[in-house]
Amino acid sequence: MDKKQAIALLHKERILESAKNLFYSQGYKETTIDDLSKHSQYSRRTIYTYFINKEDILNHLIEKELLKLYTNIEQVIADENDYFSCWINIWNIIAEYVRDNRMINDMIINVNSTMLAQQKDSVTKSIIELGKKINEIQQNYLITGQRQGKVKKDIDIKITVYMFYSIISVLSQILLSKDNSVGCSWQQVYKQMLGMIEEK
């Protein structure tokens, strides 16, 4: 990366960080490019140099956070020796992602995957591919556990990974709220999730 590319990347990152702060503080729909210009201290012209429109900014944010999620999961699988401790670490990473990116997570869940797949830009394609890779790395780790005799043979691998994400996504909203009406901890949740897959 040359100096010019490094400077452009720095500007993009600063604009994205400002956009993320605004989207969370006043909402995605309510945030305008003028708001972003004032908050980031970049002119509208500069913002449009790096991004097509507000949706493009959001897509870049989604891509950035999904890449971070994938990289963190990949790293913990490479570093952790104990199979089930690794799953707990993966779930902690996902819970942290959901906590830190609630608005982005909600938009990903609510997005029409068919409409997303019809978009041709490279960022949207990257989002779709990262979503697949995040699911696949977990599915492959379950298959590794089955081969090692640690994971039940009769579970549906794909559905199990979707269930893990859904459980963490829903419960994080409850467990992180001031009024924890469920009355349980992450440790208790993870114990139940391990029970879903562990071969006795």
Side-chain angles (χ1 to χ4, degrees):
M1 184 186 298
D2 62 28
K3 189 176 179 181
K4 189 176 179 181
Q5 290 172 319
I7 291 169
L9 182 61
L10 178 65
H11 292 325
K12 282 183 77 170
E13 287 298 317
R14 286 178 175 169
I15 292 167
L16 285 173
E17 193 58 36
S18 284
K20 185 176 180 180
N21 290 335
L22 284 172
F23 292 166
Y24 277 91
S25 63
Q26 61 188 45
Y28 171 73
K29 288 182 180 177
E30 290 75 14
T31 300
T32 65
I33 296 297
D34 283 334
D35 294 333
L36 181 54
S37 177
K38 289 173 190 171
H39 190 272
S40 66
Q41 297 184 339
Y42 285 99
S43 68
R44 286 173 56 93
R45 183 176 178 175
T46 302
I47 292 169
Y48 283 120
T49 299
Y50 297 110
F51 303 100
I52 300 165
N53 52 31
K54 191 170 73 169
E55 184 182 4
D56 188 40
I57 294 170
L58 177 64
N59 285 344
H60 275 84
L61 275 174
I62 293 171
E63 179 190 38
K64 179 182 173 183
E65 296 303 329
L66 286 178
L67 179 59
K68 181 179 170 186
L69 176 61
Y70 175 76
T71 303
N72 288 343
I73 292 173
E74 188 178 44
Q75 190 64 54
V76 81
I77 289 173
D79 292 347
E80 180 60 67
N81 293 322
D82 182 79
Y83 184 81
F84 292 111
S85 293
C86 186
W87 271 115
I88 290 172
N89 287 332
I90 290 169
W91 296 333
N92 277 327
I93 289 166
I94 294 171
E96 184 179 324
Y97 163 80
V98 170
R99 182 196 68 211
D100 294 344
N101 299 283
R102 190 167 294 167
M103 179 205 66
I104 290 173
N105 185 53
D106 290 345
M107 288 187 163
I108 292 169
I109 289 169
N110 294 324
V111 76
N112 184 319
S113 57
T114 306
M115 284 175 64
L116 195 62
Q118 289 171 351
Q119 296 186 40
K120 304 296 182 188
D121 66 280
S122 61
V123 179
T124 306
K125 287 179 182 177
S126 176
I127 290 169
I128 294 167
E129 285 307 308
L130 282 166
K132 287 178 183 175
K133 285 173 73 174
I134 289 164
N135 289 333
E136 284 169 3
I137 197 170
Q138 294 176 83
Q139 290 166 14
N140 290 337
Y141 198 56
L142 280 174
I143 291 166
T144 298
Q146 286 180 327
R147 289 180 183 148
Q148 294 173 353
K150 295 174 180 176
V151 172
K152 296 173 184 175
K153 301 280 187 190
D154 61 346
I155 63 167
D156 185 304
I157 298 291
K158 202 171 186 178
I159 290 174
T160 302
V161 168
Y162 290 148
M163 284 176 62
F164 287 162
Y165 189 86
S166 298
I167 290 166
I168 293 169
S169 186
V170 171
L171 282 180
S172 67
Q173 296 180 38
I174 299 167
L175 295 177
L176 293 171
S177 70
K178 291 178 183 177
D179 177 30
N180 181 354
S181 56
V182 176
C184 66
S185 66
W186 278 118
Q187 288 75 21
Q188 291 169 304
V189 172
Y190 294 159
K191 186 178 178 182
Q192 292 295 317
M193 289 167 70
L194 287 176
M196 291 166 57
I197 62 170
E198 189 174 2
E199 184 68 84
K200 301 297 184 185

